[in-house]
Amino acid sequence: ENRGRTFAKYAGVAPALDYHLLMKEEGSGPHEMLEIGARAACLRSGQPHACDIIERRSTAGAGEGGEGSAAEYYVHYVGLNRRLDEWVAADRIVHDTSGAGVRDGAELGGRRATRKMKRRIDDMNALQAGASHDEALEKEHEESTKVKNIQTVEIGRFEVDTWYFSPFPDEYAQQRKLYICEFTLKYMKRRSTYLAHCERERSRQPPGQLIYRCDAPPLRRECLAAGMEQPKQLSVFEINGSDSKVYCQCLCLLAKLFLDHKTLYYDVEPFLFYIITEVDSDGAHMVGYFSKEKVPSLAEGGGEYNLACILTLPCYQRRGYGKLMIAFSYELSRRESKMGTPERPISDLGLVSYRSYWVYALLEILHKHRGSISVQELSERTAFRTDDIVKTLQAFNLIRYFGGQHSILVTPKTLEQHYTNAKPNWIIDSTKLRWTPYHERPKR
């Protein structure tokens, strides 16, 4: 059925556990029906974790004695990102909510948060706090998208667990699984329809204009061991939201499954979309995208917004594509002779990629530079906003105060950790970019 292609399962959950045995060990008795909004504890990776009951539903099944129905709860784990929210069976709920032995946000991924981890989290929260957004709208957004509708999508040779709610049309939003063509992004309810579409479809790349192509960097050993094919090239396509409206709308609906704070779904005409693809013998496979306004808005604190939304599909994450797209957005800003910055709020994963890219780019200049250099000079050479530069230097403890003034100080340890030992595959060869700023193009 998969035409001889590798089929991989990407899920952010632990292997199945014997929850009945765990419940017995916890000493829990029969469960009473829990109310929506209640605080409880749920077994996650074998350990009880504090959670909030978001929704409840009954499922056909036999209770004790072969009668009745079983309950399932949609839970949010306290202190963890909403992407981990899930439906769980009632026997995973622990009724002892006294807090004894129950994990919460103080533990991250099973580890107690160290002072260094907490400081990094505080830095991330501080950056997010600088973004002005209406708390009422935020609450309304969370309420309307609190329960994930589609659980998995099959796209190309991957089956991917989704993270968040996405406003697909009703007849599709009720499906547990959707099938998506990786070249047209059309979504389908049935596998038979999907396979028939794949057989008919002749397009093997996104619509739009090819603006960049380069040799693909070699995959890491573990990626090859997992059965991933080494791509021949990387290509970037620019798609005008006005010219390929349906494709861009499908792209936004797909992206919302993996982005919490995304509100653009159907009004795609004011935007340009940049699709990053891996090219092999079967075509150009989308690995991620970013978008920017045709006429960028001015950012608070100076510069323009050079990126509205960014996503690397989960099946292609941890391979440097996020930083490649960030680097590409700044290359476009340099072509426009403007300072750029991403729109806020930035997702937690997006912020990690930005911080990693910003510090590498700054250390590259500082490592090679001799003599004094100002933050303004760094901004001119990188197209970064001065505010982003200062916050990055502060986050990595690169600004020190002595002699009555603030100075940039790069220690050998910092240089080794974030520059020397980094293996960037996001370097953009500007000579291969074929792109004209939107405001300089002939009017149609």
Side-chain angles (χ1 to χ4, degrees), residues 327 334 356-370 373 378 381-382 384 393 398 410 414-415 418-420 422 424 426-428:
R334 283 188 284 272
S356 179
Y357 170 73
W358 281 334
V359 73
Y360 180 90
L362 294 174
L363 287 175
E364 183 176 32
I365 295 174
L366 295 172
H367 176 60
K368 299 175 181 178
H369 185 78
R370 295 295 177 265
I373 187 170
L378 289 173
R381 294 177 62 171
T382 60
F384 301 171
L393 294 174
L398 297 176
V410 181
T414 300
L415 190 65
H418 299 289
Y419 177 73
T420 308
W426 62 81
I427 305 301
I428 304 298

Side-chain angles (χ1 to χ4, degrees), residues 17 88 131 144 148 165 169 171 177 216 258 297 340 371:
L17 299 169
V88 300
S144 63
K148 180 170 59 178
F165 171 92
E171 62 177 307
K177 179 178 180 179
F258 308 103
S297 304

Side-chain angles (χ1 to χ4, degrees), residues 21 23 47 49 66 75 203 218 254 322 340 385 390 432:
L21 178 61
M23 290 297 293
Q47 296 293 328
H49 192 115
V75 301
S203 175
L254 170 63
R385 278 195 324 172
V390 171
K432 297 180 179 179

Side-chain angles (χ1 to χ4, degrees), residues 306-352:
N306 65 354
L307 187 145
C309 183
I310 183 171
L311 170 72
T312 303
L313 291 175
C315 42
Y316 291 100
Q317 289 180 0
R318 302 187 67 83
R319 291 165 63 175
Y321 287 122
K323 287 186 280 291
L324 183 143
M325 289 187 280
I326 293 169
F328 203 89
S329 71
Y330 279 106
E331 185 62 38
L332 300 186
S333 292
R334 283 188 284 272
R335 284 288 179 96
E336 296 171 319
S337 300
K338 296 177 180 178
M339 288 187 300
T341 192
E343 290 187 16
R344 271 64 168 181
I346 309 174
S347 69
D348 57 342
L349 295 179
L351 182 57
V352 170

Side-chain angles (χ1 to χ4, degrees), residues 73-376:
Y73 299 97
Y74 194 79
V75 301
H76 168 69
Y77 297 106
V78 177
L80 299 183
N81 189 278
R82 288 210 306 161
R83 77 171 67 92
L84 299 175
D85 294 1
E86 61 178 338
W87 286 102
V88 300
D91 58 5
R92 283 180 59 183
I93 300 295
V94 180
H95 275 272
D96 178 11
T97 58
S98 63
V102 177
R103 293 182 182 175
D104 59 18
E107 293 193 32
L108 307 174
R111 297 175 296 158
R112 177 66 58 177
T114 64
R115 283 182 295 175
K116 183 177 180 181
M117 292 166 64
K118 290 178 179 178
R119 185 167 62 249
R120 181 63 59 84
I121 292 170
D122 290 341
D123 290 338
M124 294 169 68
N125 290 338
L127 182 69
Q128 297 290 60
S132 59
H133 59 280
D134 193 308
E135 291 185 3
L137 290 176
E138 175 79 7
K139 187 174 182 180
E140 180 182 349
H141 167 79
E142 289 192 2
E143 182 65 24
S144 63
T145 64
K146 63 183 180 181
V147 178
K148 180 170 59 178
N149 47 358
I150 297 157
Q151 304 300 308
T152 61
V153 293
E154 183 175 327
I155 178 168
R157 59 190 177 93
F158 298 105
E159 180 176 316
V160 187
D161 287 350
T162 63
W163 295 351
Y164 303 109
F165 171 92
S166 183
F168 280 86
D170 288 343
E171 62 177 307
Y172 297 92
Q174 303 304 317
Q175 301 296 311
R176 180 178 180 83
K177 179 178 180 179
L178 288 182
Y179 301 87
I180 299 177
C181 172
E182 63 178 327
F183 301 113
T184 66
L185 299 189
K186 291 181 180 178
Y187 45 88
M188 289 149 267
K189 295 184 291 185
R190 298 179 180 84
R191 182 171 181 78
S192 58
T193 307
Y194 169 69
L195 293 176
H197 169 85
C198 292
E199 290 297 326
R200 294 191 309 267
E201 183 57 43
R202 292 292 175 262
S203 175
R204 285 294 179 267
Q205 66 182 40
Q209 181 181 359
L210 176 65
I211 62 171
Y212 184 80
R213 175 170 288 177
C214 67
D215 293 336
L219 290 180
R220 296 197 305 268
R221 186 177 305 171
E222 56 267 30
C223 295
L224 295 172
M228 296 183 184
E229 182 181 350
Q230 171 64 45
K232 297 177 181 177
Q233 294 178 317
L234 297 182
S235 295
V236 181
F237 294 82
E238 181 190 77
I239 302 176
N240 190 321
S242 301
D243 297 338
S244 302
K245 188 172 181 179
V246 173
Y247 178 93
C248 295
Q249 288 174 341
C250 291
L251 174 62
C252 292
L253 289 173
L254 170 63
K256 181 60 187 73
L257 292 171
F258 308 103
L259 297 172
D260 194 6
H261 294 87
K262 179 173 176 59
T263 56
L264 168 68
Y265 311 126
Y266 298 107
D267 184 22
V268 297
E269 296 181 3
F271 292 86
L272 298 171
F273 297 81
Y274 296 89
I275 314 298
I276 315 303
T277 66
E278 285 185 350
V279 182
D280 60 20
S281 58
D282 196 36
H285 310 277
M286 185 185 78
V287 303
Y289 88 100
F290 72 92
S291 61
K292 64 177 294 184
E293 291 180 297
K294 296 175 182 176
V295 183
S297 304
L298 294 177
E300 294 182 13
E304 292 183 349
Y305 291 123
N306 65 354
L307 187 145
C309 183
I310 183 171
L311 170 72
T312 303
L313 291 175
C315 42
Y316 291 100
Q317 289 180 0
R318 302 187 67 83
R319 291 165 63 175
Y321 287 122
K323 287 186 280 291
L324 183 143
M325 289 187 280
I326 293 169
F328 203 89
S329 71
Y330 279 106
E331 185 62 38
L332 300 186
S333 292
R334 283 188 284 272
R335 284 288 179 96
E336 296 171 319
S337 300
K338 296 177 180 178
M339 288 187 300
T341 192
E343 290 187 16
R344 271 64 168 181
I346 309 174
S347 69
D348 57 342
L349 295 179
L351 182 57
V352 170
S353 292
Y354 264 97
R355 279 278 170 82
S356 179
Y357 170 73
W358 281 334
V359 73
Y360 180 90
L362 294 174
L363 287 175
E364 183 176 32
I365 295 174
L366 295 172
H367 176 60
K368 299 175 181 178
H369 185 78
R370 295 295 177 265
S372 62
I373 187 170
S374 67
V375 170
Q376 183 60 40

